[in-house]
Amino acid sequence: MYNSDGQLIQNIADISILIVDDEDNALSALKRLLRKEPYKIHVASNGQEALEMLELIACKVVITDLRMPEISGLELIQQLKTKHPDIIRVILSGTEDIAMIIDAINAGEVFRFISKPVEPELLKRIIKDCIDYYFLKTERRYLQAQLELNNKQLSWSNESLAAMTEELRERETEFRSMNDAALDPIFMIDQEGFICYTNNAAKDLFGFTDDELRSIKFKELIAQESDGTPFIDFICDFAPNISEANNKHPVKRFTALKKDTSQIPMEATMGSVIIDGVCKIVIIARDITSRIREEKSRTEYERMQQELEAQIEKKLLQGRISTMLKKVSISRLMIPSGHLDGDFTAMITYSEKLIDLVIGDVMGHGVMSALIGAGLKSLIMKISAQKNFQHNKLALLQDIVAGVHEEIITELIELETYATATFLRIDLDAEQITTVDCGHNPTIHFNARTKKRTLIKGHNLPIGLIEQTEYCEVSYPIEMNDLIVLVSDGLTESRSPDNRLFGIERVSELILIHHELEPSEIVEKIHKDACAFTGRNTFDDDLTCIVIRIGNQDLHNNNVCESVS
């Protein structure tokens, strides 16, 4: 609805919300909770009933439980995306469904996620965000329609104006062509290659008189390469007719020699004319000194920008590998994507036998993701120090992660982003590793004695996804010569030319094949296999791979290797 000035009127009382849950008690509780809200509430006990109601009621927001019989919540929102794409979709479920939830969010099928049990104020705030987003989409659609109407009216006006000014435009084009030709150096070349005519612009630029130019061949005005050949060869072969001359010789660059032997970068186009029955070549040249200077400046700027981004990734996002570790070999491979990303690593060394290692990835690309990654890395260091100082003993890994989440959750929600991460603690005295997986790739543990591979995958949410969450750690025993492998999705989500994913299972197979090699050799094997799989040496996302061996086969005390491409 719009007022007399053509402005969009938005009334929250006209908004209908549909809540879908197969538990009657849950529906009743949500209706009681929202009974005083200004919008209208409708409920459905299953997915089929919800689809039937939506054919009769124009609901703007649908909140659905994830686990329901017959039609699951995920299937329901996928059908809504197809049949009712304008409806704002929200998932209501427990954190055990995190994999399906993250897939739905990344695919653009879900606007928000509400965890059970429901926190009343958080639920109301999310519904308000959904309604605000719906109003924003409606207003944008209205403005787009207005813009298209204005463009059509402008197009009609332009067509009328074009018809009235066509004759004037043709005369102006002819005048401009003559003027441009007069300002650029023009040469006419006879069949022997001698210059038989030049305009004033050519004489002024090259510093020759008319007689001097007529006594030389055009190729004498072209600088030689180091081997004595001219930079261009289109002057050496004379085209016998107009058609061949125009088709054989495109625009070319060359370096011209002035009378004082100074050089000028130029660009030339060539055609031909028939004068008194004789074909002559016409060359129109243009001084491109300014363009060359601009190209060099742009190239230098791009080089400096790439160098700056590389320094940001190396110094702000990638932590140093400690050289204090005893009987531990670590090798890290980092392949930048060519643009700033949010991949980061951090390492905290407590002693020569006790370390914390973090690998993370901030959603998205660009400067913002890189800055958030650098901020998270610094925050992890800060919270770790604070937690250990407060208790005067080593803090639990899950408490450190919870502290990081609590410190930054508000900012990440405001920025509408999140970060996946794996926190890994290696304790050689306790002979165990402890991990907290926050929606990242699984950690691969290879037991050297049994040759058994274990994918350690937790059920924790990514940092910044929701306000209220808990983080739990898991521990696994380790033995001498075991391998621990951490990888970013820049590796696992790389695709082959036929669109197959590289995947974590392929990494696990490579570990089994090459487990007897040193970590530095293993990461190199993984890198070569990824390049062969994708058919290229660059990747769409930063690729990070960390291989850790507990104990060294060569019995060296420590072996740290860093590889950056």
Side-chain angles (χ1 to χ4, degrees):
M1 182 183 296
Y2 306 93
N3 61 20
S4 59
D5 296 327
Q7 296 176 329
L8 182 66
I9 299 175
Q10 299 175 339
N11 189 351
I12 195 172
D14 296 332
I15 294 295
S16 292
I17 309 294
L18 175 60
I19 302 176
V20 187
D21 199 317
D22 61 335
E23 297 180 9
D24 293 337
N25 291 338
L27 287 177
S28 299
L30 291 174
K31 287 179 67 177
R32 288 196 303 273
L33 176 63
L34 302 173
R35 68 183 185 279
K36 294 184 179 181
E37 296 303 308
Y39 36 81
K40 302 172 185 177
I41 299 296
H42 302 274
V43 297
S45 59
N46 56 64
Q48 185 60 41
E49 183 182 353
L51 292 173
E52 292 173 357
M53 290 182 65
L54 290 173
E55 297 298 327
L56 304 175
I57 303 172
C59 293
K60 309 306 181 187
V61 179
V62 172
I63 303 174
T64 179
D65 185 26
L66 194 59
R67 295 186 179 274
M68 295 188 299
E70 296 182 3
I71 298 179
S72 69
L74 186 57
E75 292 172 339
L76 175 59
I77 62 174
Q78 288 171 345
Q79 290 193 42
L80 291 180
K81 184 179 180 181
T82 302
K83 296 179 180 179
H84 307 280
D86 291 334
I87 289 179
I88 310 302
R89 302 170 293 275
V90 179
I91 280 182
L92 176 66
S93 184
T95 59
E96 66 272 17
D97 302 313
I98 181 58
M100 287 188 292
I101 293 168
I102 291 178
D103 288 343
I105 292 174
N106 289 340
E109 296 171 341
V110 178
F111 178 72
R112 285 287 189 272
F113 161 63
I114 304 173
S115 61
K116 287 185 176 181
V118 176
E119 200 280 311
E121 293 305 319
L122 176 62
L123 173 63
K124 294 176 182 179
R125 185 163 68 251
I126 289 178
I127 291 178
K128 182 180 181 300
D129 290 344
C130 291
I131 294 173
D132 290 343
Y133 182 63
Y134 173 78
F135 282 153
L136 180 63
K137 288 177 60 180
T138 304
E139 183 176 3
R140 183 172 59 186
R141 190 181 297 113
Y142 166 71
L143 293 176
Q144 183 66 31
Q146 289 294 109
L147 179 61
E148 290 177 358
L149 178 59
N150 292 339
N151 285 340
K152 287 181 180 179
Q153 293 174 345
L154 181 61
S155 178
W156 296 333
S157 299
N158 286 339
E159 289 175 0
S160 299
L161 181 63
M164 296 173 58
T165 59
E166 183 62 28
E167 182 178 357
L168 179 62
R169 181 181 295 132
E170 291 177 353
R171 293 184 178 182
E172 182 180 356
T173 300
E174 182 180 355
F175 173 78
R176 283 182 177 274
S177 299
M178 295 174 60
N179 188 54
D180 291 343
L183 293 176
D184 291 331
I186 299 176
F187 300 87
M188 186 177 294
I189 314 298
D190 63 20
Q191 296 189 13
E192 296 178 356
F194 283 95
I195 300 171
C196 57
Y197 166 80
T198 58
N199 65 349
N200 290 331
K203 290 178 283 188
D204 293 340
L205 180 63
F206 282 83
F208 289 99
T209 64
D210 232 350
D211 292 338
E212 288 173 333
L213 285 172
R214 289 174 181 271
S215 64
I216 62 176
K217 292 186 176 183
F218 182 80
K219 66 180 181 180
E220 297 178 37
L221 300 179
I222 302 174
Q224 304 292 311
E225 292 189 19
S226 57
D227 61 357
T229 59
F231 276 100
I232 55 175
D233 59 2
F234 63 78
I235 302 305
C236 302
D237 298 324
F238 187 86
N241 57 63
I242 296 176
S243 177
E244 184 177 345
N246 288 335
N247 293 333
K248 185 178 179 180
H249 308 296
V251 176
K252 292 193 177 184
R253 287 188 179 184
F254 66 100
T255 301
L257 285 173
K258 297 174 64 174
K259 183 177 181 179
D260 60 5
T261 70
S262 60
Q263 299 184 354
I264 314 169
M266 304 200 77
E267 186 178 79
T269 56
M270 186 183 69
S272 61
V273 294
I274 303 296
I275 300 178
D276 296 332
V278 178
C279 183
K280 298 183 182 295
I281 300 296
V282 176
I283 298 174
I284 303 177
R286 178 172 288 107
D287 184 353
I288 57 172
T289 302
S290 297
R291 192 192 308 173
I292 295 293
R293 189 181 299 117
E294 290 173 1
E295 290 176 354
K296 289 182 178 179
S297 298
R298 183 169 60 253
T299 301
E300 178 64 15
Y301 172 78
E302 291 173 352
R303 185 196 64 78
M304 293 175 61
Q305 186 179 32
Q306 291 176 354
E307 182 177 332
L308 176 61
E309 291 180 353
Q311 290 298 318
I312 290 175
E313 289 186 336
K314 181 178 180 180
K315 296 183 178 180
L316 297 184
L317 297 176
Q318 303 296 342
R320 292 183 178 181
I321 299 295
S322 173
T323 58
M324 293 176 54
L325 303 179
K326 192 172 184 179
K327 292 189 177 180
V328 172
S329 298
I330 300 179
S331 184
R332 177 176 63 184
L333 173 70
M334 297 177 295
I335 309 294
S337 62
H339 51 75
L340 279 178
D341 282 315
D343 282 21
F344 66 93
T345 61
M347 184 173 179
I348 304 172
T349 306
Y350 300 107
S351 72
E352 61 184 13
K353 295 184 177 181
L354 180 63
I355 64 168
D356 284 350
L357 187 63
V358 183
I359 180 172
D361 184 8
V362 179
M363 180 187 69
H365 304 285
V367 174
M368 187 178 79
S369 294
L371 292 177
I372 293 174
L376 270 170
K377 175 185 167 185
S378 298
L379 183 60
I380 290 167
M381 299 293 190
K382 169 188 169 184
I383 296 299
S384 178
Q386 288 178 344
K387 294 288 184 182
N388 292 325
F389 177 79
Q390 287 172 356
H391 303 287
N392 199 24
K393 65 178 183 179
L394 186 63
L396 294 176
L397 198 58
Q398 63 188 25
D399 292 341
I400 294 175
V401 180
V404 172
H405 171 86
E406 182 179 355
E407 186 79 15
I408 202 171
I409 181 62
T410 302
E411 288 77 6
L412 290 181
I413 288 180
E414 289 178 355
L415 293 171
E416 297 184 347
T417 190
Y418 62 87
T420 63
T422 293
F423 291 73
L424 173 69
R425 174 167 292 171
I426 301 177
D427 190 339
L428 296 183
D429 286 333
E431 296 183 344
Q432 71 175 16
I433 58 172
T434 301
T435 69
V436 178
D437 172 23
C438 304
H440 203 68
N441 273 327
T443 299
I444 302 174
H445 174 217
F446 176 83
N447 185 287
R449 178 176 54 83
T450 64
K451 306 299 185 292
K452 178 182 178 182
R453 294 160 291 162
T454 303
L455 296 182
I456 305 174
K457 181 64 178 175
H459 299 286
N460 301 294
L461 292 172
I463 299 173
L465 193 61
I466 62 174
E467 291 186 39
Q468 302 297 327
T469 188
E470 295 182 356
Y471 292 96
C472 300
E473 61 184 41
V474 294
S475 296
Y476 284 82
I478 54 175
E479 302 176 13
M480 292 294 289
N481 288 325
D482 282 4
L483 290 172
I484 304 166
V485 182
L486 305 171
V487 296
S488 68
D489 59 9
L491 174 63
T492 57
E493 294 183 4
S494 295
R495 293 186 179 272
S496 63
D498 57 359
N499 209 34
R500 291 178 294 119
L501 283 174
F502 193 85
I504 192 68
E505 291 294 341
R506 190 179 184 92
V507 181
S508 178
E509 287 295 327
L510 290 171
I511 298 302
L512 176 62
I513 295 171
H514 304 296
H515 69 273
E516 294 183 351
L517 301 177
E518 291 299 318
S520 60
E521 296 174 306
I522 294 175
V523 296
E524 184 59 31
K525 293 290 186 182
I526 293 173
H527 179 206
K528 288 183 178 179
D529 192 80
C531 292
F533 181 82
T534 59
R536 52 196 182 124
N537 295 322
T538 58
F539 302 87
D540 295 330
D541 198 359
D542 284 353
L543 185 155
T544 303
C545 177
I546 302 175
V547 177
I548 306 166
R549 184 182 295 282
I550 307 302
N552 299 302
Q553 292 179 320
D554 60 3
L555 302 181
H556 292 171
N557 284 335
N558 86 51
N559 180 13
V560 176
C561 181
E562 184 93 28
S563 178
V564 180
S565 297

